[in-house]
Amino acid sequence: MVDDAHSHSTRAPASFSAAYDAVLAAWPVPVEPVDIRTDFGTTRVNVCGPADAPPLVLLPGGGTTSTVWSANVAELAATHRVYAPDILGDVGHSPADGPRPVKKPADLMDWLDSLLSHFGIGAADMCGYSYGARIALGYALHARGRVRRLALIDPNNCFAGMKPGYLLHALPLLIHPTAARARAHIAWEAGGLPLDAAWREVYALGAARTPRAKVVMARRPPADRLRELTVPTLVLLARHSKVHDVERVRAGAERLLPDVECAVIDGASHHGLPMVNAKEVNRRLGAFYAAGLRP
C-alpha cells in the first residue's frame, strides 16, 4: 500500500532507505508499510498485529524514526494492532509535502486526528518516546476521549526541563548535522551502554541526509491542564539519561497527573531506551496496556 507518487526531492537518500528497510525487515512480526496522504503531507505508518485487535499508536523520538520500536513490537503486537508512524516532517518517510505547512503544535494535533480517522480509529492506546512522548501527551490533552491509555518513555520537556549540558552538547549536531556527529552524540549520551548497530546507522544517516521540516517545539503543558488529565498514564524513565534529571521528571509527573505510574529503567540512557533493557520496558508496557483490556 506504499504510494510512490511524491517527487524524488522528498525521498530519503538510497543509503538511508537501505538502512531503514534493513531494520524494518528484521522486525520480529510481519509489518505492512502504509503511506497516507494528509493536508500536511505524506505519512509513512508501519502497521502490524492482528487486524481486529485494539489499536495502539507508537510515536518515536525526534530523528529516531519508527524503526526505533524494533525490540518492542513483538510484545505490543501480540495484543494490539500497532500503528507506528514516522513523525511528519522529521527523519523518515513522512515528508511535510502537503498544502498546509506544519508550523505549530496544533498542526501536529490535526495531523494525528487525520491519521486516526484514516484508519477508522475512534480511540486508541498511545505510546510516545522522547519528542514523540511530548506529542503524545499534547494529543491526550487536545483530544479528550481519543486516548485510552498513555505511555511516555523518557519524555522531553513534559514535567521538567532539559539539562543545559545536554543541549550544549547537542548544539553542533543541531546546527550542522552529519552522520559522524550523530554517532558521536548518541554514543556520548549512552555512556557506553549498548545501542543496536543497525538502528544507530538509521539515526546517523537520517541526521545527515534526510530533508526535514523545521521541528515544531511546544512549551511544557501548564500544570492546571496536566492536573485535569484523567487518562491512565505510565512514565518510564532512563536511569542514566543525560537529557534531564529523571527524579525531577518523576516527581513532576507524580505531582501533576491524577492517574500515573512511574518507573525508572536500569541499564538505559535516553537514546535508544525502548530497545536498551527492552525486556523490562516490554514487561511494564505489556502489563500497563493489559490492564486496559480487562473487562
Side-chain angles (χ1 to χ4, degrees):
M1 294 177 66
V2 175
D3 178 1
D4 289 325
H6 53 283
S7 67
H8 180 76
S9 63
T10 63
R11 294 174 185 268
S15 55
F16 167 79
S17 292
Y20 180 108
D21 290 345
V23 173
L24 199 63
W27 272 26
V29 293
V31 58
E32 179 185 10
V34 180
D35 278 2
I36 300 168
R37 296 289 193 177
T38 73
D39 290 343
F40 298 102
T42 307
T43 302
R44 172 66 57 83
V45 184
N46 290 308
V47 183
C48 57
D52 58 349
L56 169 62
V57 177
L58 305 179
L59 297 176
T64 69
T65 78
S66 57
T67 63
V68 77
W69 303 109
S70 58
N72 316 108
V73 290
E75 175 80 24
L76 298 174
T79 55
H80 287 75
R81 181 69 164 174
V82 172
Y83 301 88
D86 292 339
I87 293 177
L88 188 74
D90 194 20
V91 174
H93 293 295
S94 295
D97 58 359
R100 288 181 62 186
V102 182
K103 293 184 176 181
K104 54 188 185 296
D107 295 329
L108 289 174
M109 303 301 101
D110 289 347
W111 167 68
L112 278 173
D113 279 335
S114 297
L115 291 189
L116 266 62
S117 296
H118 174 87
F119 289 108
I121 298 170
D125 291 331
M126 192 165 285
C127 178
Y129 159 53
S130 187
Y131 175 58
R134 177 66 190 87
I135 297 173
L137 177 61
Y139 191 71
L141 294 168
H142 158 81
R144 303 291 174 100
R146 296 201 82 174
V147 179
R148 296 185 306 196
R149 297 179 78 81
L150 176 67
L152 306 174
I153 299 180
D154 222 44
N156 283 359
N157 202 31
C158 292
F159 310 108
M162 299 170 69
K163 289 182 177 179
Y166 175 83
L167 295 173
L168 184 64
H169 194 277
L171 194 59
L173 177 62
L174 296 173
I175 293 173
H176 182 60
T178 67
R181 285 181 174 182
R183 293 187 189 100
H185 176 68
I186 61 173
W188 166 79
E189 200 282 328
L193 295 169
L195 293 172
D196 180 81
W199 172 80
R200 189 176 58 218
E201 281 306 289
V202 174
Y203 180 84
L205 293 171
R209 304 182 184 182
T210 302
R212 72 186 84 171
K214 184 178 179 180
V215 174
V216 175
M217 300 303 293
R219 294 181 179 178
R220 197 180 312 161
D224 57 343
R225 291 197 70 202
L226 290 173
R227 290 191 180 101
E228 296 173 355
L229 185 65
T230 57
V231 174
T233 303
L234 173 68
V235 178
L236 298 181
L237 298 163
R239 174 76 66 188
H240 305 290
S241 177
K242 292 179 181 175
V243 171
H244 40 225
D245 183 322
V246 296
E247 291 303 329
R248 286 188 62 199
V249 177
R250 174 159 65 177
E254 291 177 341
R255 183 179 70 253
L256 295 170
L257 295 180
D259 187 357
V260 67
E261 172 190 350
C262 296
V264 178
I265 305 300
D266 291 324
S269 65
H270 177 82
H271 286 281
L273 174 59
M275 65 183 67
V276 177
N277 201 349
K279 183 177 180 179
E280 179 64 9
V281 171
N282 292 342
R283 184 184 72 81
R284 290 187 176 273
L285 288 175
F288 174 68
Y289 289 123
L293 300 177
R294 299 189 190 112

